Amino acid sequence: MPLTTGAGRTVRQSRAHDREILRLAVPAFGALVAEPLFLLTDSVIVGRLPDPALGALGVASAALSALVGLCVFLAYATTAAVARRLGAGNVGQAMRQGVDGLWLAAAIGLAVCAACWPLAPFIVHLFGAADQLAALSVTYLRVSLLGVPAMLVVLAGTGVLRGLQDTRTPLAVSVGSFALNGLLNLWFVLGLGWGIAGSAWGTVVAQTLSAAVYVVLVVRQARRHGASLLPDLAGVRAAGAAGFALVVRTASLQIVLLVATSLATRMGEEQIEAHTIAARIWTFLAFALDAIAIAGQAITGRTLGAGDVAATRAATRRMVLWGVVCGVLFGAVLLLARPAVPGLFGAGPAVATQLEAALWPVALLQPVAGVVFVLDGVLIGAGDQRYLAWAGVATTLAYLPFAALAGGLVTLWLALGVWMLARLVTLTVRAHGAAWLVTGA
């Protein structure tokens, strides 16, 4: 009878973890997917303008994404910090941390805007843009830079709500923002005839309104729990220190992806086209796995803040299982769909041959990615950013020699597989230890 009771308790706990994971991960997935889907709308609208408007959108968007991508720590670090204090039972301190995150985001955003505005021509030149393409790229980038402070405030605000175990509100704000962005682009670009600048202004307005929504929500919660709205310099510095380690981690990831794209470009036109499609598929599948990782950030921060190491371990095991199952499912579906994928992207025969071959390692790596992304989110939620930074540098260094030896697209993706396996080892070893299980606020 005791064995039966113990088994029943375990089943109930697993089901409770599943419900919590789904409650957080499903809306997070919706918010992650909403952005690229609505950005496609921007491309369709700008594509109606004369050449090289669409190319300029691509160049400027790539530069802007790189700048904002390095600041994703504003969401991740804020999620972990707020969730930990929430778990410790001090909502006031949680909101104090959230307010500091917003101040830090605004300060970094203003600094980025001020620094990059005069450098806009140099930045687009780094992407190989020249003549009219460069001129249009500079126009789009400079207008978009005005919205960077709002974009970063949105990241921090998203982190605050995730830390409070709320992923539904960010989903609603995300969908509303990108829908508004699409409508404004139609009006500004095609209705008012503002050209590519109209597309950038639509994004700035939509992001600014989103930032305002997050500020209102955070201010309301802060006042409710007696948290000051003024910046706490010690708290801002602490958030910045934690963020620096995540910047190193994120930069390491981007180096790997940029090197892969550069090598594929040098292989030939068919290879870079096939690699671009394969990378888009990889990114889309990563969104679903990242949704579980976001749940991991929120759950881990809360349970460690509450001092419940056993619950943290149990939730981690459950989320890893979810990651493996989803990875196996995604990989199997991709292998079955592999012959049809080139046709979906309009790939010619030469590109299709390269793409079908590259999709083998992409599919087979999905279970590995499931574990890697989940554990990455768990350790971020635990505040283990310093380890993640050093591990990121180490795994990037492990990848580079194999990438240099890649003689074709398949071997390039196998080199990326070495990188993912290195991440799997570093994250699994850390998760099996106890150094990251720091409890309390």
Side-chain angles (χ1 to χ4, degrees):
M1 186 68 177
L3 290 176
T4 304
T5 302
R9 185 182 301 113
T10 301
V11 171
R12 288 194 297 273
Q13 289 174 344
S14 296
R15 289 176 177 172
H17 286 311
D18 289 344
R19 287 193 295 270
E20 186 174 26
I21 293 166
L22 283 172
R23 179 179 65 82
L24 294 170
V26 172
F29 174 69
L32 289 169
V33 172
E35 180 173 358
L37 291 179
F38 282 110
L39 287 178
L40 286 175
T41 304
D42 292 357
S43 298
V44 171
I45 294 170
V46 173
R48 293 178 174 271
L49 298 175
D51 289 338
L54 189 58
L57 175 66
V59 170
S61 295
L64 195 64
S65 296
L67 291 171
V68 176
L70 287 174
C71 297
V72 73
F73 73 87
L74 290 166
Y76 291 172
T78 305
T79 296
V82 171
R84 182 176 285 272
R85 286 156 181 77
L86 178 70
N90 195 328
V91 184
Q93 282 189 4
M95 296 313 304
R96 170 73 270 175
Q97 193 71 37
V99 170
D100 289 339
L102 292 183
W103 280 109
L104 179 62
I108 293 175
L110 290 173
V112 168
C113 181
C116 293
W117 178 277
L119 295 175
F122 173 74
I123 293 172
V124 301
H125 178 72
L126 290 177
F127 285 83
D131 301 327
Q132 189 180 6
L133 175 63
L136 292 176
S137 299
V138 168
T139 297
Y140 186 93
L141 181 57
R142 279 184 165 163
V143 174
S144 296
L145 283 170
L146 300 176
V148 167
M151 292 180 188
L152 301 193
V153 168
V154 168
L155 285 177
T158 301
V160 174
L161 295 187
R162 287 174 179 171
L164 294 173
Q165 315 297 294
D166 176 11
T167 56
R168 292 184 179 180
T169 302
L171 170 61
V173 176
S174 177
V175 172
S177 171
F178 291 116
L180 176 62
N181 181 44
L183 293 174
L184 290 176
N185 277 2
L186 279 173
W187 183 26
F188 292 165
V189 176
L190 303 181
L192 299 180
W194 289 1
I196 194 170
S199 178
W201 278 115
T203 301
V204 170
V205 172
Q207 289 288 349
T208 301
L209 291 176
S210 295
V213 170
Y214 278 113
V215 169
V216 169
L217 292 174
V218 173
V219 167
R220 185 180 299 168
Q221 288 286 347
R223 285 177 173 171
R224 180 179 302 168
H225 297 285
S228 173
L229 299 178
L230 296 176
D232 175 48
L233 294 182
V236 172
R237 282 197 300 268
F244 177 75
L246 286 178
V247 168
V248 173
R249 163 199 168 272
T250 303
S252 299
L253 301 181
Q254 291 195 353
I255 288 172
V256 169
L257 300 178
L258 288 173
V259 167
T261 302
S262 176
L263 291 174
T265 302
R266 286 168 171 77
M267 290 176 187
E269 186 175 338
E270 292 82 8
Q271 285 82 355
I272 184 55
E273 289 185 18
H275 176 76
T276 300
I277 297 171
R280 287 179 181 176
I281 294 171
W282 173 274
T283 302
F284 181 80
L285 295 178
F287 283 145
L289 300 175
D290 263 345
I292 305 174
I294 288 170
Q297 294 173 24
I299 293 171
T300 302
R302 178 177 56 77
T303 53
L304 286 179
D308 196 341
V309 172
T312 303
R313 290 279 197 193
T316 299
R317 286 193 296 269
R318 201 66 186 173
M319 286 185 286
V320 167
L321 178 61
W322 272 83
V324 172
V325 170
C326 289
V328 170
L329 178 62
F330 295 163
V333 170
L334 183 55
L335 286 177
L336 291 173
R338 190 175 61 92
V341 170
L344 294 176
F345 290 88
V351 175
T353 300
Q354 294 284 338
L355 178 58
E356 287 190 42
L359 289 179
W360 274 103
V362 172
L364 295 176
L365 285 172
Q366 291 307 306
V368 176
V371 179
V372 167
F373 294 167
V374 168
L375 289 181
D376 193 56
V378 166
L379 294 181
I380 289 174
D384 203 20
Q385 291 95 336
R386 183 174 297 180
Y387 177 83
L388 290 172
W390 285 111
V393 173
T395 53
T396 299
L397 292 176
Y399 156 78
L400 292 176
F402 289 92
L405 295 173
L409 204 55
V410 172
T411 51
L412 178 59
W413 275 95
L414 289 176
L416 287 167
V418 171
W419 172 59
M420 290 298 294
L421 289 172
R423 294 183 68 192
L424 177 67
V425 171
T426 57
L427 293 173
T428 302
V429 168
R430 187 65 166 181
H432 275 296
W436 62 282
L437 292 167
V438 179
T439 59

